[in-house]
Amino acid sequence: MNPIRQLGDTTVGRLPAAARWPLFLALVAMLPFLLSGVWIQMLFFVGLFIVLGLGLNVVVGFAGLLDLGYVAFFAAGAYSLGIMTSPGSPFDLNMNFWLVLPLGVLIAASFGVLLGLPVLPLRGDYLAIVTLGFGEIIRLFLVNREDVTAGSQGLSAIARPGIGSFRIETFTHWFYFILVAAVIVGFIASRLRDSRIGRAWEAIREDEDVAAAMGVNKVKYKLMAFAIGASVGGLGGVLYASFIGFINPAAFSLQVSIDVIAVVIIGGMGSTPGVILGSLVLVGFPRILQFKATADFLSKFEWLRDGLNGIIAAADTVVPGSIGRLPAASEWGRELSDDTRFIIFGALLVAIMVLRPEGLVPSRRRQLEFESDDQPVPAGGAA
Amino acid sequence: MPLVDAPHLALSVGFWSDQFVNGLTTGSLYALIALGYTMVYGVLKMINFSHGEVFMLGSFAGYGILTAMGGNDISGVMVAVTILVALIGAMAVSAGTAAVVERIAYRPLRNAPRLAPLISAIGVSIFLQYLVLDQTDARAKFYPDIFPRGDFAAGPFDITYIQTFLIASSLAMMVFLYVIIQRTRMGRAIRAVAENPANASLMGVDVNRTIVMVFVLGAAMAGVAGVLHGLFFQTIRGSMGFLPGIKAFTAAVLGGIGSIPGAVAGGYALGFAETVGRELLNELPGVDLGNQWRDVIAFSLLVTILVFRPTGIFAERATSRA
């Protein structure tokens, strides 16, 4: 036992396990009373990526199938809602949000099975590259089949949900809506993990052949993982499209897949707290960097920029003009959150794999697995 | 131009021979890149996801050298010299990148669980791609337009100078690689490690050094492909590694991953499938595949091959299943 884990066990362990989540959720539910505007919008996106992360976690974390095309299911959900509710849709259906929500989830799930069927015999890296291709094909489809998706022009005025005369419109409404969705998905995911199905996934993840030999139906459980992961991706897509109100193919690039995969892996594969922390750090923080308040705050550091640029200018005398200068301090946040974000994600993925492969907040079982080398996992070590 | 009775036939002969030359051109690039995938897979049994980015960096290195040496003002015999320098520089940059990546991101994970090196490789790929996108403000760069224009006819084929150069230098690189692998001491070490790293190590082969050499050789091929891609298509950008990377991987799988002749055969097969194959499909009634569906053809081919024949169509011996 390493000392850090013991420490964790004693401090967090004082709170009865059953009380931790309700307490945490109660605190989260109070956030709209403390924060406003852009902060709540930021938290909506954090919530959205928690939902997506929980879904991908089923595929990657539980079943060990590395899916790099998760954006495909997100797009399937978003476009289901867009096509069926947008007045600009080529089909002009104008359906109700609540009717499309289950449909979108179902359509995404069938995409999951559609992807799952051909890749069933594949493992590890081959699976990763095929799913990558699948995500790309979906995007090509969105751009090129204008008769179905309205092409790069996009779909606007997508339906928003309402209950009776109450419309879900403000950031705060959406915050609670995504919170409820995340809690439902999280609850289902954790129940699945601890069920017979979860154990079957785990067996497949550890060794497919042994699992099959022990009577685990590989085909059934792999497809189930794909379908469940995909339906959650679809749910995320429906919610996103409704929140944003406008979608076009540019929003469904590989970057979404990278975001979600980074959330799951950096947070800790198979771990729900990991997904939450991952979303806060990888999705929430870059958005905070874009706030005007952040820019105002950073503008106080103009002196630091002058100093650093002085050093750069000194270094630049070797080959004059070869090194660029830092932009205005108030721009730093935006600079960092743009493409730079992905540079950091990439480096983080490598660093996490090399230094802490179980992720920031590891699931108990995964941690044992990574620490144990080839020694047997101690009996009763499962969370 | 020979006089032909049926003009539409003459047109279609020209059309098909053009498609053939196009297939040969893209196929050469795919083959060069595929070599890197297949060699790394041969020794480490892993897909080097960052290989597409190594190709991209080679292309940018070539661009940097050509621009620094005068860009569009280069003329006369200097064109040949600068292109040679650009090719060598790109090989060096790509090879250096691959060696560093291997040391930092792959070597520590050689005995880690299956997914770890894969995720690390994806991390490297994202890192390198966005590093370049950030440095170039995500804008395209244009290779200096210095290669002599013009074409010549060889039988029914009409080949431009640049296409000839691209195909010839790709083939030269492949022969070069073949000689290294088959005729040198280092090549023998590489083959030994691919066969069985533990045994090779017992025979006195420095396995770590050999693995670095595999990365370096594969990357050098990709670097050359990067410059040739730049000279031929002229436009390069930070995201350019993704599609050729994934397609070259398809080519490697097509030829049986781990096999060097297979990668070359797979590269050309994919090149033809995308050009000649797509046009043949378009001959079918009711089919109209525009240029943008090329990528879909490649991906569909990849999935089909992986599902029905994961050892590749040209595989000499059965390797372990995907």
Side-chain angles (χ1 to χ4, degrees):
Chain A
M1 266 265 171
N2 77 40
I4 295 176
R5 202 193 311 159
Q6 271 176 343
L7 186 75
D9 282 353
T10 48
T11 48
V12 182
R14 280 192 199 130
L15 205 59
R20 279 179 223 163
W21 281 111
L23 189 69
F24 173 72
L25 290 172
L27 287 174
V28 172
M30 287 194 296
L31 283 174
F33 298 102
L34 306 170
L35 301 166
S36 61
V38 283
W39 286 88
I40 297 298
Q41 187 194 23
M42 180 273 287
L43 285 174
F44 169 83
F45 279 102
V46 170
L48 177 67
F49 275 84
I50 289 174
V51 170
L52 295 174
L54 288 170
L56 186 62
N57 208 6
V58 170
V59 187
V60 178
F62 297 173
L65 308 161
L66 189 58
D67 183 350
L68 299 183
Y70 199 59
V71 66
F73 312 126
F74 183 61
Y79 266 91
S80 299
L81 187 71
I83 290 169
M84 290 186 228
T85 69
S86 165
S89 131
F91 297 97
D92 203 25
L93 296 166
N94 290 318
M95 286 164 72
N96 180 285
F97 174 88
W98 295 110
L99 206 60
V100 184
L101 179 69
L103 278 178
V105 171
L106 221 61
I107 290 170
S110 53
F111 268 77
V113 175
L114 190 78
L115 169 69
L117 274 177
V119 301
L120 274 178
L122 306 180
R123 294 176 197 184
D125 21 19
Y126 279 15
L127 178 77
I129 213 152
V130 171
T131 50
L132 191 67
F134 184 72
E136 201 51 24
I137 289 181
I138 296 289
R139 200 184 55 81
L140 286 170
F141 182 86
L142 295 181
V143 177
N144 291 319
R145 289 303 301 268
E146 291 177 8
D147 48 339
V148 183
T149 66
S152 46
Q153 199 188 335
L155 296 162
S156 55
I158 294 167
R160 292 206 148 171
I163 304 157
S165 61
F166 175 75
R167 320 289 310 167
I168 295 180
E169 268 165 352
T170 66
F171 287 159
T172 308
H173 297 161
W174 275 106
F175 170 81
Y176 285 115
F177 195 24
I178 202 83
L179 181 65
V180 170
V183 169
I184 294 172
V185 171
F187 180 74
I188 294 174
S190 80
R191 298 312 294 157
L192 278 172
R193 184 191 56 208
D194 297 337
S195 73
R196 194 184 170 78
I197 300 167
R199 286 193 296 278
W201 284 334
E202 201 174 333
I204 292 172
R205 185 183 80 208
E206 294 311 312
D207 193 318
E208 264 190 62
D209 297 327
V210 174
M214 301 309 282
V216 174
N217 186 339
K218 265 180 12 182
V219 174
K220 179 177 148 196
Y221 287 108
K222 273 187 170 185
L223 279 184
M224 210 183 256
F226 272 117
I228 292 169
S231 53
V232 175
L235 172 70
V238 170
L239 298 180
Y240 168 80
S242 181
F243 174 79
I244 289 286
F246 167 79
I247 51 172
N248 69 354
F252 302 95
S253 66
L254 184 62
Q255 294 185 347
V256 180
S257 296
I258 298 176
D259 274 331
V260 191
I261 209 103
V263 162
V264 171
I265 288 168
I266 294 171
M269 276 182 274
S271 149
T272 304
V275 167
I276 296 171
L277 184 72
S279 296
L280 271 172
V281 175
L282 302 177
V283 179
F285 188 62
R287 284 185 177 269
I288 294 175
L289 285 177
Q290 290 177 333
F291 289 172
K292 200 181 160 295
T294 312
D296 292 344
F297 173 74
L298 283 171
S299 61
K300 291 180 191 146
F301 290 89
E302 207 60 43
W303 55 270
L304 183 64
R305 175 212 180 209
D306 291 340
L308 289 172
N309 270 344
I311 299 172
I312 293 173
D316 199 29
T317 48
V318 185
V319 184
S322 62
I323 313 174
R325 300 294 186 270
L326 289 174
S330 56
E331 291 293 311
W332 287 358
R334 199 164 295 127
E335 286 279 323
L336 263 178
S337 62
D338 241 9
D339 284 348
T340 319
R341 174 169 114 240
F342 290 101
I343 305 178
I344 297 168
F345 282 12
L348 269 179
L349 283 178
V350 177
I352 285 277
M353 280 303 110
V354 174
L355 304 173
R356 197 182 160 85
E358 67 271 29
L360 294 178
V361 193
S363 77
R364 193 59 79 68
R365 187 167 292 201
R366 269 283 163 132
Q367 190 173 29
L368 287 171
E369 200 180 296
F370 277 110
E371 280 178 7
S372 67
D373 294 318
D374 284 325
Q375 298 151 15
V377 175
Chain B
M1 186 82 190
L3 203 67
V4 203
D5 289 340
H8 72 275
L9 189 71
L11 180 77
S12 85
V13 166
F15 176 75
W16 289 108
S17 58
D18 278 355
Q19 294 300 333
F20 181 83
V21 173
N22 287 340
L24 212 55
T25 313
T26 44
S28 297
L29 292 176
Y30 293 156
L32 273 184
I33 308 171
L35 285 168
Y37 281 111
T38 219
M39 285 171 63
V40 168
Y41 193 91
V43 294
L44 289 183
K45 305 282 173 285
M46 75 167 263
I47 299 176
N48 181 8
F49 256 94
S50 63
H51 195 56
E53 268 56 55
V54 167
F55 156 79
M56 177 270 292
L57 284 174
S59 197
F60 271 88
Y63 165 80
I65 292 169
L66 288 176
T67 340
M69 289 179 76
N72 280 320
D73 300 330
I74 307 169
S75 62
V77 74
M78 278 307 285
V79 170
V81 177
T82 45
I83 287 177
L84 191 67
V85 174
L87 284 170
I88 293 170
M91 282 165 80
V93 168
S94 291
T97 309
V100 172
V101 166
E102 193 274 336
R103 186 67 192 86
I104 293 176
Y106 300 161
R107 195 180 299 178
L109 296 171
R110 219 171 276 162
N111 298 313
R114 207 163 37 87
L115 283 185
L118 187 63
I119 293 166
S120 185
I122 293 163
V124 172
S125 170
I126 297 167
F127 175 81
L128 292 175
Q129 179 174 336
Y130 282 94
L131 193 66
V132 173
L133 280 172
D134 190 55
Q135 293 301 312
T136 57
D137 288 329
R139 272 195 280 268
K141 299 276 175 197
F142 300 95
Y143 257 60
D145 192 10
I146 51 171
F147 206 91
R149 287 168 188 279
D151 55 287
F152 60 87
F157 302 110
D158 220 2
I159 311 183
T160 61
Y161 294 153
I162 175 75
Q163 280 176 324
T164 318
F165 176 69
L166 191 154
I167 295 164
S169 41
S170 304
L171 290 173
M173 287 307 291
M174 291 169 206
V175 171
F176 173 62
L177 182 71
Y178 182 81
V179 170
I180 288 183
I181 299 281
Q182 296 295 332
R183 295 272 185 271
T184 68
R185 208 180 152 76
M186 190 216 300
R188 198 163 359 128
I190 291 175
R191 281 179 287 141
V193 173
E195 196 72 41
N196 186 328
N199 281 356
S201 160
L202 288 174
M203 295 296 142
V205 174
D206 184 341
V207 174
N208 277 337
R209 214 179 126 239
T210 310
I211 289 175
V212 173
M213 280 322 294
V214 166
F215 274 91
V216 163
L217 283 173
M221 301 290 138
V224 170
V227 176
L228 294 175
H229 181 103
L231 286 171
F232 182 67
F233 293 103
Q234 307 232 311
T235 319
I236 61 169
R237 47 164 51 95
S239 56
M240 70 186 277
F242 177 68
L243 274 181
I246 211 169
K247 286 182 186 173
F249 172 75
T250 306
V253 173
L254 204 58
I257 192 143
S259 147
I260 290 179
V264 174
Y268 285 109
L270 184 62
F272 288 129
E274 277 188 7
T275 50
V276 183
R278 180 171 57 90
E279 293 302 339
L280 280 175
L281 284 177
N282 276 344
E283 294 288 301
L284 299 173
V287 179
D288 183 20
L289 298 171
N291 214 23
Q292 68 273 27
W293 293 103
R294 278 168 58 147
D295 308 337
V296 178
I297 292 182
F299 292 136
S300 315
L301 205 60
L302 175 66
V303 176
T304 317
I305 294 286
L306 283 178
V307 172
F308 292 105
R309 203 169 153 74
T311 53
I313 36 179
F314 308 108
E316 309 145 37
R317 60 195 152 90
T319 45
S320 62
R321 258 164 74 87

